[in-house]
Amino acid sequence: MTAVTTPRPLLVRLAETGREHVPFTLDGKAAEALVGDTVLTAVLTNSTTLRRTEFSGEPRAGFCLIGACQDCWIRTEEGVRLRGCATMIVSGMRLLTAAETER
Ligand code: FES
């Protein structure tokens, strides 16, 4: 028998866990962030990757975290393109990762 394991999110929150929760969806599934999180933090505390590159399909998770490298683009279900490290999470956001960003 093979054990089924669920991949752990890339980021694990160790501090400031008492902030108000912010519900959003990630690839159609309910997720939670905390008030003050960027979209990048919100996604990576719920997922192993932010998106997949449109060139090779490799997973990406941002790089500079200060708005300079352009590695953290992510789309909403509505097709809006956001820079994950420079956009604050908002209640009700519907974000897409991985191949879903290629629509
Ligand atoms: S991680 Fe570099 S611009 Fe967002």
Side-chain angles (χ1 to χ4, degrees):
M1 184 163 100
T2 304
V4 176
T5 59
T6 302
R8 288 194 284 178
L10 190 62
L11 299 181
V12 176
R13 192 180 308 273
L14 298 176
E16 298 185 35
T17 56
R19 286 182 277 145
E20 187 177 331
H21 291 212
V22 178
F24 68 103
T25 65
L26 190 58
D27 297 332
K29 296 178 185 160
E32 268 191 351
L34 298 181
V35 168
D37 283 353
T38 62
V39 165
L40 181 68
T41 299
V43 171
L44 293 180
T45 54
N46 285 276
S47 175
T48 58
T49 188
L50 180 69
R51 66 179 178 96
R52 292 199 175 268
T53 177
E54 49 279 281
F55 303 109
S56 66
E58 292 295 314
R60 306 303 303 166
F63 182 71
C64 72
L65 310 182
I66 59 169
C69 76
Q70 311 292 315
D71 195 45
C72 63
W73 291 107
I74 185 170
R75 289 191 192 274
T76 66
E77 288 183 10
E78 296 80 17
V80 177
R81 195 170 172 235
L82 305 171
R83 191 179 304 177
C85 74
T87 306
M88 305 308 285
I89 192 75
V90 174
S91 178
M93 265 184 171
R94 299 185 326 220
L95 303 170
L96 298 173
T97 68
E100 300 297 326
T101 60
E102 305 307 316
R103 289 185 194 174

